[in-house]
Amino acid sequence: EAEITQTYTGDGTNLNLFDEDDERPERHNIVFMASEVAPWSKTGGLGDVMGSLPAALARRGHRVMVIAPRYGEYQDAFDTG
């Protein structure tokens, strides 16, 4: 499993998500919005990434939220508000 260490921020800089040398790495609030999230909705690679990357970031201590359309009534789906 590949590990992501940096992400492009859109302004020409990179955001270091994990600094293995830092005893207290910086934690981030991260929101993903996508049209598909595995295992609920998946037609290609995006669904796979959205099904695994947010969970991996959360395991690293980041606060992560995923927003996606509800295409059907899934057993474990819930409304947040």
Side-chain angles (χ1 to χ4, degrees):
E1 180 175 314
E3 185 171 296
I4 295 176
T5 58
Q6 292 186 340
T7 185
Y8 181 69
T9 61
D11 63 0
T13 62
N14 286 322
L15 175 66
N16 190 1
L17 295 178
F18 320 114
D19 186 354
E20 294 182 8
D21 296 332
D22 189 357
E23 292 179 15
R24 296 181 61 215
E26 188 175 352
R27 304 299 182 198
H28 299 279
N29 295 321
I30 303 168
V31 178
F32 291 97
M33 188 164 17
S35 59
E36 55 187 72
V37 179
W40 300 283
S41 57
K42 178 180 165 331
T43 60
L46 175 63
D48 292 327
V49 171
M50 294 308 300
S52 61
L53 179 59
L57 292 171
R59 282 193 301 272
R60 292 291 218 148
H62 300 288
R63 187 173 175 198
V64 181
M65 176 187 289
V66 179
I67 300 169
R70 185 187 301 179
Y71 295 112
E73 290 299 319
Y74 309 113
Q75 182 177 7
D76 55 350
F78 62 94
D79 290 323
T80 59

